[in-house]
């Protein structure tokens, strides 16, 4: 019974991240970036990998510079790899659903920076990891975004510059 109660208790950090995500989706990108950075300063590089992965993944969306967006997405991937390796209290299998979105966003970042080969590598990883996605609207959206980016990347690696961005992974406790 106590274990069930512990599982039912919401994760305060993920709740705070979710509140800032809503602020960002509401259109206040600058304030969202400021609050995300405050949360990052609180948890630091040694914080819980699930929290760092989720926060960095969303923080990337608030960046103006594609190189900064890439840096935050790389931090998210690094934290996810810590989770997968079991170097935290979280279940390593819980991170499998993060990988399609993480690699998709890295592919988009690299494409924005004109690094089409790196974009292709991460797009291939996103496609391979997509089997971990549920057959729900979110999973279908990520799969569709992978396909769109594959089309955009094409054989020559040229992007059409339409401002497309892949969807972000939903935080999961």
């Amino acid at each position: 019974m106590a274990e069930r109660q512990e599982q039912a208790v919401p994760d305060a950090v993920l709740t705070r991240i979710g509140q800032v995500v809503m602020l960002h989706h509401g259109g206040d990108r600058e304030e969202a970036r400021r609050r995300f950075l405050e949360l990052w300063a609180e948890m630091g590089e040694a914080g819980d990998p699930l929290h760092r992965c989720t926060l960095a993944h969303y923080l990337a969306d608030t960046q103006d510079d594609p190189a900064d967006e890439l840096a935050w997405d790389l931090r998210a991937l690094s934290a996810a790899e810590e989770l997968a390796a079991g170097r935290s209290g979280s279940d390593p299998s819980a991170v499998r659903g993060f990988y399609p979105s993480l690699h998709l966003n890295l592919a988009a970042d690299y494409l924005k920076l004109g690094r089409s080969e790196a974009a292709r590598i991460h797009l291939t990883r996103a496609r391979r990891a997509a089997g971990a996605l549920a057959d729900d609207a979110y999973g279908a959206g990520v799969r569709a975004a992978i396909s769109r980016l594959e089309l955009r990347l094409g054989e020559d690696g040229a992007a059409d510059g339409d401002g497309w961005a892949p969807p972000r992974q939903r935080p999961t406790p």
Side-chain angles (χ1 to χ4, degrees):
M1 180 79 166
E3 286 179 26
R4 245 189 266 161
Q5 287 176 344
E6 284 180 26
Q7 291 173 0
V9 175
D11 183 316
V13 174
L14 289 178
T15 298
R16 290 173 65 195
I17 292 169
Q19 290 168 339
V20 180
V21 167
M22 288 189 301
L23 179 69
H24 181 227
H25 289 170
D28 198 343
R29 187 171 187 231
E30 293 297 321
E31 181 63 16
R33 178 173 40 223
R34 186 186 70 73
R35 289 187 190 185
F36 279 144
L37 288 170
E38 285 176 0
L39 278 167
W40 187 265
E42 285 178 30
M43 79 174 67
E45 293 286 335
D48 180 280
L50 176 62
H51 296 157
R52 286 186 291 118
C53 178
T54 305
L55 180 55
H57 196 47
Y58 284 114
L59 189 50
D61 281 342
T62 67
Q63 301 306 302
D64 295 324
D65 183 327
D68 293 337
E69 185 175 359
L70 173 63
W72 284 108
D73 279 330
L74 286 169
R75 284 182 184 102
L77 179 62
S78 177
E81 289 171 346
E82 285 181 49
L83 278 168
R87 293 190 299 252
S88 74
S90 300
D91 177 9
S93 66
V95 76
R96 287 183 52 224
F98 285 152
Y99 282 111
S101 182
L102 291 169
H103 285 295
L104 175 61
N105 283 290
L106 285 164
D109 296 343
Y110 282 119
L111 191 57
K112 288 177 195 173
L113 293 167
R115 296 177 58 189
S116 59
E117 191 55 38
R120 280 189 186 91
I121 289 167
H122 283 282
L123 194 54
T124 298
R125 291 176 182 166
R127 174 65 70 196
R128 284 186 193 142
L133 294 169
D135 287 329
D136 59 8
Y138 177 76
V142 172
R143 286 184 193 92
I146 291 169
S147 295
R148 285 192 306 271
L149 190 55
E150 286 172 337
L151 289 173
R152 279 192 61 216
L153 192 56
E155 287 301 312
D156 63 358
D160 62 13
D162 64 2
W164 172 88
R168 292 286 166 176
Q169 174 72 34
R170 297 180 297 221
T172 55

